[in-house]
Amino acid sequence: MTSQRSICLTGGAGYIGSHACLALAARGVSPLTVDDLSTGSEDAVNWGPLVGLDIRETDRLATVLKKHSVDTVLHFAASAYVGESVENPQKYYDNNVGGMLSLLNACKAANVKTFVLSSSCATYGVPERVPVTESSLQNPINPYGRTKLICEQMLHDYASQSDMAYSILRYFNVAGADPSGALTERHDPETHLIPLTLFAAAGRIPKLTLFGGDYDTSDGSCVRDYVHVSDLVHGHMLALEYLEDFGGSLIANLGSGQGVSNFEIIDMVERLTGRQVPVEIAPRRLGDPPELIADISHARQRLGFQPQRSDLGTIVADAAHSFGVEAVHAISA
Ligand SMILES: NC(=O)c1ccc[n+]([C@@H]2O[C@H](COP(=O)([O-])OP(=O)(O)OC[C@H]3O[C@@H](n4cnc5c(N)ncnc54)[C@H](O)[C@@H]3O)[C@@H](O)[C@H]2O)c1
């Protein structure tokens, strides 16, 4: 990737966006972050300037993009909690769809040439079969997933009327943290399973609540595809190179291609920390599919995407390190 690029990350102060900034800096790019700090943190923006701005402010956003001669946008900014989206759909349509519309209009005004969208496996809903390929039916079952699908369609429509190259990356469960300890797997509020399991092991929360222990899976708990955040952001670097070389459009799943059950996570945390995780099994949540695993062969073939740190032991160890949770055992993959 050419380091002369002028790259803007919306949501660069968030968990994944800040890791993407770090990966860009390692390639000689000083990324511009646009973030309203609604869930992100100023102290995670260390590798380029931060403009504190809500992306729904179209005119101000277009002015910022023009001032910095931005040619490439990585769009991470969104509200990203499934449960909250069910309780407050207005917030999700407003921020995710309204934010996308505003951003696309600002990009058009600033003549942005390349766009990468953070999409989600939530756009697939309850898949008919796993592993899930990019051509699987997209039938989201909650407002969050629906907003992400609408964003995909908006991007396609805008790009088809311009010379903007774009990539839609559908993430599965992103976890872990940069191994240097420079960043953490941080969410506000914390609802993600691996951090919560580590917090329960360390006594920072009284117990871990698991939703459903009677699924038709090997051990009764849900199975998900966890991809290490460092592998995920590397996938973005590959997508940028692909768009630079070939232009056009690219849609790819980014996951590990492996399924991991909730009980396997608990077991891994217990082995790593040497402590028991107090667990409460609660009823299933409506619309939680038993299994969600990515078919990543498309990303492998088109991008050369090859996860390096997405085995469960490495993900949990890197997350524990970033939280300062002591690991008493080294875990091999
Ligand atoms: N974490 C996952 O497992 C996962 C999985 C699939 C997709 N995604 C997607 O990846 C992206 C990043 O997720 P994350 O986990 O880093 O979340 P995050 O909440 O840590 O980051 C989102 C960032 O966007 C900012 N933001 C939100 N609305 C904004 C607005 N209107 N204007 C400016 N800034 C705004 C927040 O302040 C925050 O810094 C999201 O689009 C999310 O939907 C995440």
Side-chain angles (χ1 to χ4, degrees):
M1 191 199 327
T2 51
S3 53
Q4 282 76 34
R5 279 189 164 203
S6 179
I7 302 184
C8 170
L9 288 83
T10 71
Y15 165 50
I16 301 171
S18 58
H19 278 85
C21 287
L22 176 62
L24 285 165
R27 286 161 177 78
V29 176
S30 172
L32 168 71
T33 287
V34 171
D35 199 301
D36 67 357
L37 301 178
S38 51
T39 58
S41 316
E42 196 168 352
D43 64 15
V45 186
N46 296 311
W47 297 278
L50 167 67
V51 175
L53 180 66
D54 187 322
I55 58 166
R56 289 167 290 186
E57 291 189 48
T58 314
D59 292 343
R60 284 186 64 201
L61 181 58
T63 303
V64 168
L65 296 178
K66 285 181 199 164
K67 184 178 159 209
H68 290 264
S69 308
V70 169
D71 51 55
T72 301
V73 166
L74 304 186
H75 179 35
F76 297 97
S79 300
Y81 290 103
V82 168
E84 186 187 51
S85 80
V86 175
E87 286 157 19
N88 188 358
Q90 182 181 347
K91 174 177 175 181
Y92 279 70
Y93 285 98
D94 193 348
N95 200 29
N96 295 1
V97 178
M100 182 73 177
L101 181 63
S102 171
L103 176 61
L104 285 171
N105 286 332
C107 288
K108 194 173 165 188
N111 202 18
V112 168
K113 294 288 178 218
T114 306
F115 195 107
V116 178
L117 172 66
S118 302
S119 189
S120 168
C121 61
T123 62
Y124 294 117
V126 181
E128 283 168 344
R129 62 186 68 85
V130 289
V132 187
T133 65
E134 290 80 0
S135 56
S136 303
L137 179 71
Q138 286 181 286
N139 188 18
I141 53 167
N142 51 59
Y144 168 67
R146 283 190 273 276
T147 63
K148 286 287 167 181
L149 180 55
I150 293 169
C151 289
E152 289 193 7
Q153 292 163 338
M154 289 167 77
L155 177 55
H156 176 77
D157 288 341
Y158 267 67
S160 68
Q161 292 306 312
S162 72
D163 59 354
M164 188 167 73
Y166 73 92
S167 177
I168 292 168
L169 301 176
R170 295 184 187 140
Y171 313 162
F172 282 64
N173 286 52
V174 189
D178 185 74
S180 69
L183 291 164
T184 57
E185 180 178 352
R186 172 160 58 180
H187 311 275
D188 181 22
E190 189 53 78
T191 59
H192 290 67
L193 186 61
I194 291 175
L196 289 176
T197 310
L198 284 163
F199 294 165
R204 295 186 195 173
I205 57 172
K207 62 177 185 255
L208 173 73
T209 303
L210 268 197
F211 297 99
D214 57 353
Y215 283 98
D216 187 15
T217 55
S218 59
D219 63 16
S221 66
C222 282
V223 171
R224 294 289 179 267
D225 180 320
Y226 290 87
V227 57
H228 194 293
V229 67
S230 300
D231 287 334
L232 182 93
V233 298
H234 184 63
H236 289 67
M237 304 302 118
L238 296 172
L240 286 176
E241 283 164 15
Y242 177 93
L243 294 176
E244 191 167 284
D245 292 345
F246 304 110
S249 62
L250 171 89
I251 300 175
N253 288 337
L254 291 182
S256 66
Q258 305 294 323
V260 169
S261 80
N262 291 347
F263 286 132
E264 284 174 316
I265 290 174
I266 295 168
D267 180 59
M268 181 61 77
V269 168
E270 289 183 338
R271 285 199 285 143
L272 186 93
T273 61
R275 299 191 204 181
Q276 232 192 327
V277 177
V279 182
E280 168 196 58
I281 310 283
R284 295 181 186 193
R285 279 183 306 201
L286 207 63
D288 255 350
E291 266 195 306
L292 213 41
I293 303 169
D295 183 325
I296 56 168
S297 44
H298 190 61
R300 221 180 245 134
Q301 285 154 16
R302 298 278 292 274
L303 301 176
F305 178 65
Q306 187 61 55
Q308 301 292 322
R309 300 190 72 80
S310 293
D311 62 279
L312 185 60
T314 304
I315 288 178
V316 171
D318 286 351
H321 175 60
S322 82
F323 291 132
V325 173
E326 196 190 352
V328 293
H329 292 119
I331 303 289
S332 55

